[in-house]
Amino acid sequence: MRKTVLSSITALAVSFALPAFAQEKTLTVYTYESFVSDWGPGPKVKEEFEKTCGCKVEWVGVADGVELLTRLKLEGEGTKADIVLGLDTNLITEAKATGLFEAHGLSPEGLTVPGGFSDDTFLPYDYGHFAVVYDTETVKTPPTSLKELVEGDPAQKIVIEDPRTSTPGLGLLLWVKSVYGDKAGEAWGKLKNRVLTVTPGWSEAYGLFTKGEAPMVLSYTTSPAYHVIAEKTERYKAAAFSEGHYVQIEVAGLTRTSDDKDLARQFLTFMTGPDFQSIIPETNWMMPAAKTKDPLPAAFDTLVKPEKTFLVPSDEVAANRKAWIDEWLAVMSAK
Amino acid sequence: MFARAERRTLRVAGGLALGFVLVFAGAATAVLLAHAGGSGAPLFDAYTWRVAQFTLMQATLSTLLSVVLAIPVARALARQRTFPGRVWILRLSVVPLGLPALVAALGIIEIWGRQGVVNDLLRLGGLESPVSVYGLAGILIAHVFFNMPLAARFLLAALDRIPPEYWLTSANLGMGSGATFRLIEWPVIRRVLPGIAGLIFMLCAASFTVVLTLGGGPAATTIEVAIYQALRFDFDPQRAVLLSGLQIAVTGVLIWLLSLFARPPEEGMTAGRDIRRFDGRRRRLSDGLILLVFTLFTAAPLAATLVSGLSADFGRLTLDPLLHRALATSLAISFASGCLSLAIALPIVLVPRLAEMGNAGLATRLMARALPATGSLILLVPPVVVATGWFLMLRTFGETGRFAPVIITVVNALMALPFVVRVLEPAYSTHLTRTARLALSLGVTGMHRLRWIDWPALKKPFLTAFAFAMALSLGDLSAVAIFGAEGFATLPWLLFSRMASYRTADAAGIALILGVICLLLTLPSTAAERPTESPSADA
């Protein structure tokens, strides 16, 4: 008895100590959970890339983009990641400040990201415009501009996310800042009356919205595509705002500590290619950043296509985030 | 109370338990404090003060409401021992613990929200615009929903420990309800109330999702939110630790104040008769009404969760291998953390008894004070802080994902500790008073005593405590968030992952599965709820 216990402990210890006796090369990709979930792009991306790379893709999925950066900061030089996929443009400056990333040195053709985003360290793989998504059964005349949203009927409510804890929340904050500038505080003062509640993350807000608690929610222009394709309903639509929409661009980069940078670069090239890009729309419910093999599904044609795109440069976000959140807090917390 | 060998074992166990908890939580915080990346922002700015004030305010109100409302419910439950569905009312009280806060919040909104049942009824009554609960009202409703059943359950356990002879006597004396309350029930309630109130206060103070989602805006922000903020966007681990310290200090003072009101137990002897409440019959109508309202309040949001869960495609969901894996992981982790929690709780409960013996040494007496305090305040160290600290430590040992199950198990066990102690401590104390001297004089000690004297009488409190601990662990998400590894998923993790990919029906289905498991967990501890031969230490 004791012997079996001992040997199994030894076996366990060995399996802890020697995790990497695999013959194949391994590419470790850090990303957010919904990317690797069975509904997300992860499984298909892994399958496609492994066909050509002669390697094994290993995912590490943390809660979301912000958590991704936190995880990297915690791990520092010791990180196992070859690729970090799933940061958004707002986090780029802070991500670079960790000193853990290396310039990609690639110049992929045919990137179609709005706002002409380009960066020497991070490559985009998809994007989505923030939008107010509304329930057509209760909202007959949706707002056509941010101004109308701000000044509209306070009885018609919207659920938004908290900029202190979520990226969509920060997105709305930057959107209002982009449109209103110094007057952002006043705008929030008016919008506040329409805000039913401020949730910690997107899931909570969207849950309240689909339960019918509020007829509007801050989400993405692509959200209605999910309902059309997966649920066959056109009940939920995104409102097009005349001022333009704030964009969230999701990016990936390779780490300085990666032990197979060629493989990592190969992945980044694959990422901006049609095989990867074709997977994105119907699994990540975002717009592809480059050409797909086939035209997008019909449901994507009916989506709001913003004519103007807002994107506050990452440096500016990093420098002002705290001040802008404080401004938001002061207005939203006032009685 | 204890034989020499038992005392020695207990002292060692106490030392181990205390050491384990302190090292586990202490090492994590120390590592975070030492980690570079502090912003040097002042801790006590206006924001922190406002947040601390709000935390105290909402937690105080939530606790008062939960406890005050629980008293009539517990009294009614104690009186009406044959009330139809009584055992199910008791079982339901565990379910909210095992649901992720978001699921419970959505259930509450189905009842109290703008489009909820209550507003539908008001509209039928002719009210035009819906009544909004978003704000303090929503937070209080949710916290009472979570905690009032818990308080009622603890109070009922206390009332059930009253020697059944008292009821016989009070009936013979013709005592009215008021006199019964004043002379028999209140002294017992008063003994356990500070502990229950303290526990609920901590739970409410550390509330996060409920406060933000139902709070209506950032005016409703708790210290816990600030901690989360410090660990995420701001990435300032030192600030997170300092804020946790603030949370512990503020709440610790309050719990200390509460403990001043605690009274030493006045245990009565019993021959171990069945509990018969002779005052039950004449109060049947009013008690029935109280229990009906209580059940409606508690069960309605759960029923809403059930209804939305039923809309899930269970044919596909139950065949999903990922769900099977998550289920197995969740059950294994919660089982292990339940066991660990009980193991740590036992010395916490018993060492103070040891210290009451005349010849207890200084070390024992110190340990007897430190153990219960550690056991309850641990709830205020945010799991995300502990988990992050351990992540930092473990990253040097290779792939952190491998350690995730272990860390989550321990974090969950520590979270459950205050609950487990609250269940075990009063039951054990009554039991020891009634049996310890006799057992000792008969020379029944050690394993024999555990097997023949303690276990039969304490089986139910143990199983109840275990159910609480497992349920808490099942519903926990906080500790999982930082460790993400391929193929590692728990049920709440899967639930959130489905929600994040728009699969709300799947998420509702998983929530239903979680709820059902929690209900099943309560079966062993309530199986013998019908009259038994020795109801001396029910929980």
Side-chain angles (χ1 to χ4, degrees):
Chain A
M1 182 64 203
R2 174 157 299 172
K3 210 173 164 189
T4 47
V5 171
L6 259 182
S7 61
S8 56
I9 289 176
T10 323
L12 206 68
V14 169
S15 73
F16 266 85
L18 306 166
F21 256 128
Q23 277 79 25
E24 271 186 325
K25 300 182 282 182
T26 309
L27 181 78
T28 306
V29 183
Y30 280 19
T31 183
Y32 47 82
E33 163 59 23
S34 64
F35 194 91
V36 287
S37 77
D38 45 353
W39 293 107
K44 287 178 192 158
V45 166
K46 178 183 165 89
E47 195 191 322
E48 283 293 321
F49 188 60
E50 285 178 355
K51 274 184 198 166
T52 56
C53 71
C55 71
K56 199 172 155 289
V57 175
E58 197 175 279
W59 301 113
V60 173
V62 298
D64 57 24
V66 183
E67 197 75 49
L68 202 53
L69 187 56
T70 306
R71 167 107 178 202
L72 276 183
K73 286 178 181 169
L74 287 173
E75 290 186 336
E77 303 265 309
T79 185
K80 292 267 180 301
D82 298 303
I83 294 281
V84 176
L85 180 149
L87 301 170
D88 73 8
T89 41
N90 291 330
L91 297 169
I92 284 183
T93 300
E94 282 180 62
K96 284 182 183 167
T98 63
L100 292 171
F101 288 94
E102 181 168 308
H104 53 69
L106 303 166
S107 44
E109 306 262 309
L111 285 181
T112 52
V113 182
F117 168 81
S118 107
D119 190 84
D120 60 353
T121 310
F122 292 100
L123 282 172
Y125 64 91
D126 69 11
Y127 70 91
H129 284 96
F130 290 113
V132 169
V133 173
Y134 63 96
D135 181 351
T136 51
E137 283 180 16
T138 37
V139 179
K140 297 302 171 196
T141 48
T144 59
S145 63
L146 191 60
K147 189 164 183 290
E148 274 188 37
L149 177 76
V150 166
E151 292 171 0
D153 177 12
Q156 200 169 51
K157 296 292 182 187
I158 181 169
V159 181
I160 62 169
E161 294 85 353
D162 198 316
R164 291 173 296 172
T165 49
S166 82
T167 40
L170 185 60
L172 180 63
L173 186 86
L174 298 173
W175 193 359
V176 172
K177 199 79 207 173
S178 306
V179 173
Y180 284 90
D182 293 343
K183 299 258 180 354
E186 290 167 36
W188 278 109
K190 289 181 199 155
L191 181 58
K192 186 184 151 196
N193 302 318
R194 293 193 87 172
V195 172
L196 180 67
T197 193
V198 184
T199 65
W202 178 89
S203 293
E204 290 87 352
Y206 215 75
L208 285 179
F209 170 68
T210 47
K211 282 231 181 291
E213 267 302 281
M216 297 185 289
V217 66
L218 177 76
S219 187
Y220 297 90
T221 52
T222 43
S223 299
Y226 168 77
H227 296 286
V228 173
I229 294 173
E231 294 178 346
K232 312 270 178 284
T233 172
E234 304 210 348
R235 180 172 168 184
Y236 304 111
K237 287 202 157 38
F241 282 2
S242 56
E243 297 98 339
H245 289 241
Y246 198 86
V247 72
Q248 179 173 38
I249 301 171
E250 298 195 288
V251 300
L254 78 146
T255 58
R256 191 164 51 75
T257 50
S258 165
D259 47 16
D260 195 342
K261 287 176 188 158
D262 291 338
L263 184 63
R265 289 204 167 85
Q266 195 187 333
F267 181 84
L268 289 180
T269 310
F270 164 78
M271 184 185 82
T272 45
D275 288 329
F276 181 103
Q277 290 294 317
S278 303
I279 299 170
I280 288 296
E282 281 183 84
T283 52
N284 219 27
W285 304 102
M286 294 286 266
M287 301 298 282
K291 275 209 183 60
T292 53
K293 284 190 275 191
D294 304 308
L296 291 184
F300 281 81
D301 294 338
T302 59
L303 299 180
V304 168
K305 304 235 171 6
E307 283 171 15
K308 187 164 184 265
T309 290
F310 295 109
L311 181 64
V312 179
S314 182
D315 293 344
E316 219 174 297
V317 176
N320 295 306
R321 187 170 54 85
K322 189 171 183 315
W324 289 343
I325 285 181
D326 284 346
E327 176 188 56
W328 178 85
L329 272 176
V331 178
M332 294 294 285
S333 306
K335 290 273 177 264
Chain B
M1 286 260 195
F2 300 99
R4 183 185 299 263
E6 287 176 330
R7 288 199 295 254
R8 204 170 45 229
T9 316
L10 267 181
R11 275 195 296 268
V12 173
L16 282 178
L18 189 64
F20 180 75
V21 175
L22 290 181
V23 167
F24 190 81
T29 38
V31 165
L32 280 186
L33 272 179
H35 190 78
S39 66
L43 178 63
F44 290 104
D45 49 12
Y47 175 63
T48 316
W49 275 123
R50 200 169 51 73
V51 166
Q53 272 173 12
F54 182 81
T55 307
L56 276 182
M57 190 270 286
Q58 63 86 11
T60 308
L61 285 179
S62 303
T63 309
L64 272 178
L65 272 177
S66 304
V67 169
V68 168
L69 292 175
I71 292 179
V73 174
R75 291 182 73 206
L77 277 169
R79 272 194 295 257
Q80 307 300 334
R81 311 200 69 80
T82 55
F83 192 76
R86 181 178 185 268
V87 65
W88 286 101
I89 300 180
L90 295 181
R91 284 173 186 162
L92 274 184
S93 64
V94 176
V95 178
L97 288 184
L99 293 180
L102 171 59
V103 173
L106 289 179
I108 286 168
I109 279 164
E110 298 245 24
I111 306 301
W112 298 92
R114 280 159 51 90
Q115 308 297 327
V117 177
V118 171
N119 267 314
D120 285 349
L121 292 177
L122 288 177
R123 260 190 293 272
L124 277 181
L127 203 75
E128 283 291 315
S129 52
V131 175
S132 175
V133 294
Y134 297 92
L136 190 59
I139 296 174
L140 292 182
I141 288 177
H143 283 165
V144 170
F145 165 78
F146 274 111
N147 299 312
M148 195 243 286
L150 193 69
R153 184 92 192 252
F154 285 139
L155 288 174
L156 174 66
L159 291 175
D160 280 356
R161 278 189 302 270
I162 295 175
E165 286 81 354
Y166 284 28
W167 305 118
L168 200 62
T169 314
S170 75
N172 282 334
L173 293 172
M175 274 190 202
S177 171
T180 310
F181 181 69
R182 213 173 50 246
L183 297 171
I184 305 180
E185 292 170 323
W186 177 244
V188 177
I189 291 177
R190 182 168 177 183
R191 158 160 151 67
V192 291
L193 212 50
I196 299 173
L199 175 63
I200 293 179
F201 186 88
M202 286 189 289
L203 286 171
C204 297
S207 184
F208 176 96
T209 305
V210 160
V211 167
L212 276 189
T213 306
L214 298 175
T221 296
T222 51
I223 302 179
E224 195 85 2
V225 177
I227 294 172
Y228 186 73
Q229 194 187 347
L231 270 183
R232 280 171 55 89
F233 269 131
D234 300 346
F235 194 69
D236 189 346
Q238 281 134 10
R239 189 178 165 83
V241 172
L242 291 176
L243 284 168
S244 310
L246 176 71
Q247 176 162 306
I248 294 173
V250 165
T251 317
V253 167
L254 214 116
I255 289 178
W256 174 71
L257 283 176
L258 275 171
S259 73
L260 296 182
F261 290 95
R263 281 281 176 281
E266 295 170 34
E267 307 289 0
M269 295 311 280
T270 173
R273 321 164 50 97
D274 282 357
I275 301 176
R276 280 188 65 198
R277 292 296 297 262
F278 305 92
D279 52 349
R281 187 169 300 162
R282 82 187 120 88
R283 304 267 304 184
R284 207 166 165 78
L285 193 69
S286 56
D287 283 350
L289 201 66
I290 291 174
L291 292 184
L292 185 72
V293 172
F294 169 73
T295 310
L296 275 180
F297 178 78
T298 319
L302 296 177
T305 311
L306 174 79
V307 171
S308 36
L310 289 177
S311 70
D313 180 0
F314 277 101
R316 179 177 50 73
L317 204 57
T318 47
L319 291 177
D320 188 340
L322 200 60
L323 181 82
H324 299 163
R325 241 191 1 249
L327 183 67
T329 310
S330 271
L331 285 177
I333 287 182
S334 57
F335 184 83
S337 81
C339 293
L340 183 61
S341 203
L342 278 180
I344 304 175
L346 264 183
I348 294 184
V349 170
L350 290 177
V351 170
R353 292 282 94 96
L354 191 65
E356 283 168 13
M357 298 175 76
N359 53 356
L362 180 67
T364 311
R365 286 208 303 275
L366 279 179
M367 202 152 72
R369 293 196 80 90
L371 269 172
T374 316
S376 55
L377 288 177
I378 192 73
L379 198 59
L380 291 166
V381 184
V384 59
V385 168
V386 178
T388 309
W390 274 94
F391 181 89
L392 266 176
M393 266 182 277
L394 292 173
R395 69 188 165 146
T396 43
F397 298 103
E399 208 179 308
T400 40
R402 289 163 183 273
F403 303 102
V406 180
I407 299 300
I408 295 167
T409 301
V410 181
V411 168
N412 286 349
L414 296 188
M415 271 166 52
L417 210 46
F419 292 82
V420 173
V421 171
R422 285 285 153 258
V423 176
L424 288 186
E425 196 269 330
Y428 231 118
S429 153
T430 305
H431 172 75
L432 283 180
T433 316
R434 286 178 187 168
T435 65
R437 285 193 178 82
L438 188 62
L440 210 54
S441 69
L442 292 174
V444 186
T445 60
M447 287 311 287
H448 272 288
R449 169 159 153 183
L450 266 182
R451 171 72 189 83
W452 298 107
I453 313 274
D454 297 346
W455 177 247
L458 293 170
K459 193 165 78 185
K460 267 176 66 179
F462 265 101
L463 290 174
T464 308
F466 192 65
F468 275 134
M470 268 192 84
L472 263 174
S473 166
L474 272 177
D476 176 58
L477 185 73
S478 47
V480 194
I482 188 82
F483 295 92
E486 190 169 15
F488 182 76
T490 62
L491 281 180
W493 180 249
L494 193 63
L495 186 154
F496 271 84
S497 146
R498 291 290 152 97
M499 263 193 116
S501 350
Y502 291 94
R503 311 277 158 175
T504 28
D506 276 12
I510 297 172
L512 177 57
I513 294 174
L514 269 175
V516 170
I517 297 176
C518 291
L519 208 55
L520 291 177
L521 283 179
T522 64
L523 292 186
S525 61
T526 48
E529 200 48 50
R530 52 194 129 66
T532 54
E533 286 160 48
S534 59
S536 51
D538 286 5

